[in-house]
């Protein structure tokens, strides 16, 4: 079984293995959860933290149990369409797009046992108090139309991390870095440039 703390320790191990003393961390969805845990537990290793389309707590637990059961019974194909619907807005999905098909293929190629274990890690995560200790320059970005981790989840993080910056990106669902790639890149690069100055 995975935990978010275990995945944060893996990220720290990667930094160690690559001999990177400090890094700017940007994580989306579960990656944002890992970033929060990393920032709270090993903030001295980060220069800044950007968390996107994420949450510090995800209830109800039953949703995650249902996803675990579905993927264990039917593989990733059982969830692919529902995931695509959560990750992109109706308008973006309606346009012909290589991006959506690439994401669908990525979902289908994800090992079912790994997906189930990550669902369990998210189900059992509660970073609500832990992240109050983050003292890094922090940016939170969320899509205005994200049904998976809506703006209220971003606000929950924002109110707990002192001096964090919150941006709600219009016309974007969960994968805002794909759906609004130009605006997302500009926001992230502006934040990183500000840290460099």
């Amino acid at each position: 079984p995975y935990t978010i703390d275990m995945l944060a320790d893996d990220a720290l191990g990667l930094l160690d293995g690559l001999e990177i003393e400090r890094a700017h961390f940007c994580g989306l969805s579960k990656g944002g959860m890992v970033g929060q845990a990393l920032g709270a537990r090993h903030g001295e290793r980060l220069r800044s933290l950007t968390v996107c389309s994420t949450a510090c707590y995800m209830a109800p637990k039953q949703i995650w149990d249902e996803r675990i059961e579905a993927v264990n019974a039917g593989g990733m194909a059982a969830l692919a369409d529902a995931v695509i619907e959560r990750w992109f807005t109706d308008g973006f999905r309606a346009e012909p797009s290589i991006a959506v098909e690439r994401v669908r293929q990525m979902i289908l190629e994800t090992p079912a046992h790994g997906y189930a274990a990550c669902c369990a890690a998210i189900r059992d995560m509660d970073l609500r108090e832990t992240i109050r200790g983050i003292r890094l320059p922090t940016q939170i970005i969320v899509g205005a139309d994200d049904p998976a981790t809506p703006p209220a989840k971003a606000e929950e993080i924002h109110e707990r991390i002192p001096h964090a910056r919150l941006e709600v990106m219009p016309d974007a669902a969960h994968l805002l870095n794909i759906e609004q790639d130009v605006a997302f890149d500009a926001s992230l690069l502006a934040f990183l440039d500000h840290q460099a100055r």
Side-chain angles (χ1 to χ4, degrees):
Y2 300 161
T3 66
I4 295 298
D5 283 349
M6 177 192 296
L7 297 174
D9 288 344
D10 284 348
L12 185 66
L14 181 60
L15 290 176
D16 290 343
L18 296 173
E19 298 181 358
I20 297 172
E21 187 59 36
R22 293 180 73 213
H24 297 282
F25 186 97
C26 178
L28 185 140
S29 194
K30 181 173 55 67
M33 298 167 188
V34 170
Q36 291 171 73
L38 190 59
R41 297 172 64 221
H42 304 287
E44 73 284 355
R45 298 295 301 274
L46 302 182
R47 296 181 184 277
S48 72
L49 177 62
T50 300
V51 295
C52 316
S53 305
T54 195
C56 57
Y57 179 70
M58 293 291 288
K61 294 180 183 292
Q62 178 184 350
I63 290 172
W64 300 100
D65 290 334
E66 289 169 359
R67 290 179 187 171
I68 291 166
E69 186 177 321
V71 78
N72 284 338
M76 293 305 297
L79 297 177
D81 288 341
V83 171
I84 289 292
E85 285 181 18
R86 284 194 304 274
W87 284 4
F88 296 107
T89 61
D90 292 343
F92 192 78
R93 289 194 326 271
E95 296 293 321
S97 171
I98 293 172
V100 173
E101 287 313 308
R102 283 183 178 162
V103 170
R104 183 187 306 278
Q105 196 58 40
M106 177 196 72
I107 293 165
L108 292 171
E109 292 174 1
T110 298
H113 66 278
Y115 181 87
C118 287
C119 284
I122 295 169
R123 178 197 64 202
D124 299 339
M125 167 197 72
D126 188 348
L127 299 170
R128 289 176 291 184
E129 293 307 313
T130 306
I131 62 173
R132 292 186 189 277
I134 294 176
R135 294 294 180 265
L136 295 160
T138 301
Q139 174 174 242
I140 305 149
I141 310 175
V142 64
D145 305 309
D146 185 351
T149 52
K153 291 290 185 185
E155 290 164 8
E156 196 174 18
I157 298 167
H158 182 243
E159 69 187 24
R160 287 169 164 78
I161 301 176
H163 312 296
R165 176 184 179 277
L166 172 61
E167 180 175 354
V168 179
M169 200 161 282
D171 302 316
H174 197 59
L175 293 192
L176 48 78
N177 60 314
I178 295 175
E179 195 161 0
Q180 292 295 338
D181 55 347
V182 174
F184 176 83
D185 290 351
S187 178
L188 178 59
L189 291 173
F191 177 70
L192 294 176
D193 286 346
H194 181 74
Q195 304 318 309
R197 289 193 299 273

